[in-house]
Amino acid sequence: MLEAHNLECVRGERRLFAGLGFRLEAGELLYLQGRNGAGKTSLLRMLIGLLPPEDGEIRWQGESIKSLADEYRGNLCYLGHHNAIKEELTPLENLMAAARLAEEEISEDDALDALEQVGLAGREDLACKYLSQGQKRRVALARLVKEKRLLWVLDEPFVALDVAAVAWLAGLIGAHLQRGGLCVMTTHQPVDIPAGAVKELRLS
Amino acid sequence: MLEAHNLECVRGERRLFAGLGFRLEAGELLYLQGRNGAGKTSLLRMLIGLLPPEDGEIRWQGESIKSLADEYRGNLCYLGHHNAIKEELTPLENLMAAARLAEEEISEDDALDALEQVGLAGREDLACKYLSQGQKRRVALARLVKEKRLLWVLDEPFVALDVAAVAWLAGLIGAHLQRGGLCVMTTHQPVDIPAGAVKELRLS
Amino acid sequence: MNARFHLYHYASPATFYPLAGKLIPVFAALAVVFGLAGLYLGLLVAPTDFQQGEGYRIIFIHVPASWMSMFIYLVMAFWAAIGLAFNTRLSGMMATALAPTGALMAFLSLWTGALWGKPMWGAWWVWDARLTSELILLFLYIGFIALQSAIDDPRRADKAGGVLLLVGVVNVPVIYFSVKWWNTLHQGASVSLTQSPSMATTMLWGMLLMALCFWMYSIAVALMRVRTILLERERHTEWVKEMLAGETK
Amino acid sequence: MLKIVAAVIGRDLKLAMRRQADIVSALFFFVIVVSLFPLGIGPEPDLLRKLAPGVLWVAALLATMLSLPRLFADDHRDGTLEQLALAPHPLGLVVLGKVVAHWLVSGLPLALLAPVLGLQFDLSADALLVLTGAILLGTPALSGIGGIGAALTLGLRGGGVLLSLLVLPLYIPVLIFGAGAVDATVTGLGPEAHLSLLAALTFAALGFAPWAAAAALKIALE
Amino acid sequence: MLKIVAAVIGRDLKLAMRRQADIVSALFFFVIVVSLFPLGIGPEPDLLRKLAPGVLWVAALLATMLSLPRLFADDHRDGTLEQLALAPHPLGLVVLGKVVAHWLVSGLPLALLAPVLGLQFDLSADALLVLTGAILLGTPALSGIGGIGAALTLGLRGGGVLLSLLVLPLYIPVLIFGAGAVDATVTGLGPEAHLSLLAALTFAALGFAPWAAAAALKIALE
Amino acid sequence: MIHWNSFADFLAMGGYAGYVWGSFGATALILILEPLFIIRRRKETISRLKRQMRAELASSSRNSVE
Ligand code: HEM
Ligand SMILES: Nc1ncnc2c1ncn2[C@@H]1O[C@H](COP(=O)(O)OP(=O)(O)OP(=O)(O)O)[C@@H](O)[C@H]1O
Ligand SMILES: Nc1ncnc2c1ncn2[C@@H]1O[C@H](COP(=O)(O)OP(=O)(O)OP(=O)(O)O)[C@@H](O)[C@H]1O
Ligand SMILES: [Mg+2]
Ligand SMILES: [Mg+2]
């Protein structure tokens, strides 16, 4: 489904990696590893099409993601270092707005349910700026609960989460893979994801 | 050395904790635990004097930190969720500026040495905005390398660090404790700190 | 890497760099020749203007500088369009290299115009359409330079600068006409440029030669600057390394 | 197509309502700048009447410009902009939505307030009407052009001032036609020509600016 | 004491140099705003000469104000401000350093540029001199007062506009005395009285503002 | 051919000396300084790049430690 061929990444004057390639099928998890600054975030940004690679190509179902454009992005769900939530809005509003902007209507009940699952029950109506670091991250993660898109790209999703939340999220990713989804992920924490096929890719 | 008596914390309309107290002596580590939103960050901000407690008192060597003011702060080193680095400045400049503003002259050699220890050799002269998430955190941590103040207050210092850096930082904190320093810390990651006396405090 | 650029052979930096090196002396020499001839005609031979006395001789630099300032902006926009459309690296660098020269030309136009205005109109500055739009053009140049220098990544700087140039070039005529219209609506004929009537042929020739001199100068200077930019940007490529290694004088 | 534009507008308006301070403050900035002039210049009514169109328009320009840096900056900082760029529709539509929202929050209230301020300068009823009309017609162009500037300076520190450097020269035609319309009314010539030019500028800006701004945003996100 | 002030100034200047665009752009903002007025008002030299002091001062006010939101915001966002507040010396000194740096980067260049712009308005040599002096004397007060406003609005979204709302009314005395000094020169009265009032304002502002701003910062950090 | 009677006349420019020479002088200054600045920047660039290249060679032969 998702293939990368001969990717090269240059930031500033530094060549982070070159000749990188992989192939990911339905139900597989690609686990990116590497020390700080190895280029994991850069690679993820290439995969979602925001950073044009210096060289090489990325294909989705055989076609270059550059030519697929919108069509590819319709299959994509990205979670970055930043939470992409508005501090002034409440978790509920954030979730609804994010869905609407991604052109996916969800009902308020669904949203409330998602928030409850991420452990924010009782804080649905508190502006996000009052939430703790981990609670903010949970708001961002709530998007994943109802997410049906095929390809999830997650950049250190476990950061700031407490132990219970880490386990919950691992389960969520596992379920996504079981449904035949794909996932590309980085994390520095050792996490156990209940998934069949885990591919590892180490940048160095 | 550091005592808290009967602390109460109210945020918005929510009482996060009340009647909280502890006592920390030289060479001891206080390890704060609790789920996301339990009030760990709030407690730390009370300890450094930025958030006035609703009730109760914090004492340093027997005196209230409120009356000690500058004197207490001269013994304090805080590292928060944010890195407190300037994106335009290079790691070296950031480190030097931070030291100067804390009224602690350090030589350029010392600073370069600290940066090398945190694994930023070769990036001393790259503006911080180009660094990866983990590298930014390392710049913030470089301040600790030469830090001689007694009380370290660290809010999730391990976030975004790779495995090697986590181990290094744990060692650094251990060495600080061995020298007779105090440390109050939160983290969600299980980390092994080579220290004698670890006190745990669980907020819930 | 190289195979990708064979289409744009001369746009390939490795070919362009030595080529530009050879062209610079030619344009510089032409600029000097035209300049000397123009100055000779303009300062020594041309007769006094019967209305403006000797003050009119400022025209020999004022007009070429004004022309160049406007023309260079167009050329920059042209390069920007090429760069955005075909993703050639050299085009962006050309625009970057031209900008300071264009800004200097705009400044010279303002400076000489002001020095001309004081004896002719009795004021260093009036808010006439042409003057005002030249001032705005200077702002546009400075905006471009400031934007590019605020971005550290050169490729990003090229693209962002390109978008700005294209937006600007659409606006320049709009600005010019709006200012002109504003000005003529407000007031009749209080101040307008005293056209030197029936310009003597020597004057015309002097001005043409000076204009050519400014042209050649601008080309030469832009090529010089683009060569330096090339070196900086391509310092990691083989050809720059070879060149630097070879140039151990 | 329209749905996404509406969604963006809705979200931005909600955010603006949540921090009402924004709207109110832009208005007060306008009021204060306009009121500063009589203080700096002196109270002669004749002089002030001559100044009025220019001062009001310059103040409107500056008030619009002041809120521009945050047009994309907030979304950029917290990662929302990436999400918007990843959504399966052209980024230009999102920008259009944001530009319209910006106008609703900045340009529209200005237009409604302008006649009140015009009274301070002793303008006639006709002139006040034209002033309102001109500001209504012209400010969308300001928001549009401003969007390009905001996108170009996104993520650059010192962006606010750089932004004004880029954008103000491009605002000049709007200023001239806008002030010209009021002036023409005061001096008895009709404002029609000026107003139709303003409308043309606005149409051109709204048609063209979102795409230029979207291109600039993609560059900023690389 | 002085060492910490110097350290803050040094760091802020270094940051400003790193984003040179800042300084240059504030200057050009000044130039552009000043140039906007004739475009809005019309080119008659007599009218313009009367406006000159007011326009130049209003533009100086706005140029100073535009860079205010970032006085503490950058430090706040990345956590540096917390560190500064935790350092073992009064926060007021840090603020003083930041205010001085702000003046060096904004007020000083404005004063140096003002005479050139005055020429565009056909001011006499005397008037130009007084203009420069007045701006030199008055802008530190602007930076000081601005510091309070910046601290009060810190962390509030929409801070930029809110800030101008708070600060501009307090700027009015500076504007009046500053423009008055130039006006007095043009009309033949001496500028001394105005200038000494300006100096008094500046002293008061620099002595008082850092402490008020420091208090506001502590509240913002809670 | 030559229009002037004396060199002093030429310098005086019919009373417009300040304006005319102010213009020509500024232009000459700028047109001469600009290339000089570019040449200097070019020399600096080249020597800096050479220095960097040497440093790179040295460090790569020393076997990089990251
Ligand atoms: C700061 C003041 C001035 C500026 C910015 C300025 C700008 C310009 C510009 C942009 C042009 C080229 C116009 C074109 O080709 O369409 C021009 C041409 C010219 N200017 Fe000026 N000018 C200034 C002052 C003056 C003064 C004071 C005079 C004479 C009294 C003057 C006389 C001319 C003449 C004769 C031409 C060429 C004739 C033509 O192309 O129509 N300028 N100026
Ligand atoms: N302009 C530049 N010049 C030199 N190096 C640069 C430049 N921009 C980015 N880099 C380098 O590129 C790398 C970016 O890495 P990236 O953010 O992809 O790392 P990462 O693997 O996600 O790290 P982390 O685990 O810390 O998040 C960093 O090593 C950084 O130093
Ligand atoms: N205005 C308010 N109204 C209600 N609750 C509030 C308000 N402000 C803050 N809170 C709550 O206070 C708590 C702040 O927690 P704090 O940031 O100290 O948590 P933490 O233990 O550091 O969490 P984390 O592990 O996620 O960093 C959160 O639960 C938040 O929801
Ligand atoms: Mg990363
Ligand atoms: Mg916390």
Side-chain angles (χ1 to χ4, degrees), chain D:
Chain D
M1 290 282 279
L2 276 181
K3 213 165 108 191
I4 180 68
V5 179
V8 174
I9 297 179
R11 191 198 64 139
D12 276 25
L13 287 184
K14 180 180 267 171
L15 277 171
M17 290 302 145
R18 202 53 53 85
R19 16 173 143 126
Q20 282 165 352
D22 269 33
I23 309 178
V24 184
S25 314
L27 278 180
F28 273 92
F29 176 80
F30 183 55
V31 176
I32 292 175
V33 171
V34 171
S35 318
L36 282 180
F37 275 92
L39 290 174
I41 285 160
E44 296 118 79
D46 268 358
L47 189 60
L48 287 181
R49 204 169 313 119
K50 270 200 209 131
L51 294 185
V55 166
L56 282 164
W57 262 101
V58 171
L61 242 64
L62 295 177
T64 317
M65 211 198 59
L66 217 65
S67 47
L68 279 180
R70 294 198 12 251
L71 188 55
F72 302 113
D74 288 348
D75 283 346
H76 183 48
R77 188 163 41 243
D78 63 23
T80 312
L81 194 63
E82 280 171 5
Q83 299 293 343
L84 290 175
L86 288 177
H89 42 242
L91 190 53
L93 291 180
V94 176
V95 176
L96 181 63
K98 289 190 80 73
V99 165
V100 173
H102 180 260
W103 178 76
L104 288 174
V105 177
S106 71
L108 185 62
L110 288 191
L112 303 181
L113 198 69
V116 182
L117 291 176
L119 279 180
Q120 285 190 337
F121 287 79
D122 205 21
L123 287 182
S124 68
D126 263 9
L128 288 178
L129 201 70
V130 172
L131 178 69
T132 313
I135 294 191
L136 270 180
L137 269 179
T139 38
L142 298 184
S143 296
I145 300 173
I148 305 179
L152 281 173
T153 54
L154 188 62
L156 309 181
R157 293 307 175 98
V161 206
L162 183 59
L163 172 60
S164 52
L165 175 58
L166 297 184
V167 154
L168 282 180
L170 302 179
Y171 276 3
I172 286 174
V174 179
L175 169 66
I176 287 178
F177 295 136
V182 186
D183 230 38
T185 322
V186 172
T187 54
L189 309 162
E192 291 77 19
H194 285 104
L195 288 181
S196 46
L197 281 168
L198 268 186
L201 284 180
T202 287
F203 268 106
L206 286 189
F208 173 69
W211 306 100
L217 283 181
K218 285 209 186 102
I219 298 167
L221 279 178
E222 260 180 24

Side-chain angles (χ1 to χ4, degrees), chain B residues 151-167:
Chain B
L151 175 59
W152 289 8
V153 177
L154 312 178
D155 201 354
E156 304 206 26
F158 300 102
V159 153
L161 294 182
D162 61 20
V163 186
V166 167

Side-chain angles (χ1 to χ4, degrees), chain A residues 132-134, chain B residues 40-42 81 155-156 186:
Chain A
S132 80
Q133 202 74 2
Chain B
K40 301 180 293 301
T41 300
S42 309
H81 278 305
D155 201 354
E156 304 206 26
T186 73

Side-chain angles (χ1 to χ4, degrees), chain A residues 2-10 15-23 30 32 39-49 51-59 64-66 72 184 201 203:
Chain A
L2 183 71
E3 294 160 76
H5 288 279
N6 198 31
L7 286 185
E8 175 174 347
C9 173
V10 177
R15 169 173 293 130
L16 292 180
F17 51 79
L20 185 146
F22 64 83
R23 197 187 159 79
L30 180 67
L32 272 186
K40 301 179 293 301
T41 299
S42 307
L43 176 57
L44 293 187
R45 291 177 70 85
M46 281 182 186
L47 292 181
I48 60 176
L51 182 73
E54 193 68 18
D55 196 15
E57 204 187 22
I58 299 162
R59 296 206 199 108
S64 152
I65 59 166
K66 230 169 153 180
Y72 173 59
V184 183
L201 184 65
L203 302 178

Side-chain angles (χ1 to χ4, degrees), chain C residues 74-141:
Chain C
L74 288 181
V75 175
M76 283 166 59
F78 166 78
W79 283 122
I82 300 272
L84 287 178
F86 301 107
N87 205 10
T88 47
R89 286 176 292 169
L90 202 52
S91 342
M93 295 187 220
M94 282 305 283
T96 310
L98 279 165
T101 308
L104 282 176
M105 290 296 166
F107 172 77
L108 276 180
S109 164
L110 290 169
W111 177 261
T112 55
L115 280 173
W116 200 356
K118 186 69 182 173
M120 294 306 140
W121 307 329
W124 298 101
W125 180 262
V126 295
W127 292 92
D128 162 85
R130 218 188 229 167
L131 276 57
T132 308
S133 32
E134 184 73 21
L135 182 67
I136 296 169
L137 184 63
L138 179 64
F139 293 156
L140 291 179
Y141 275 120

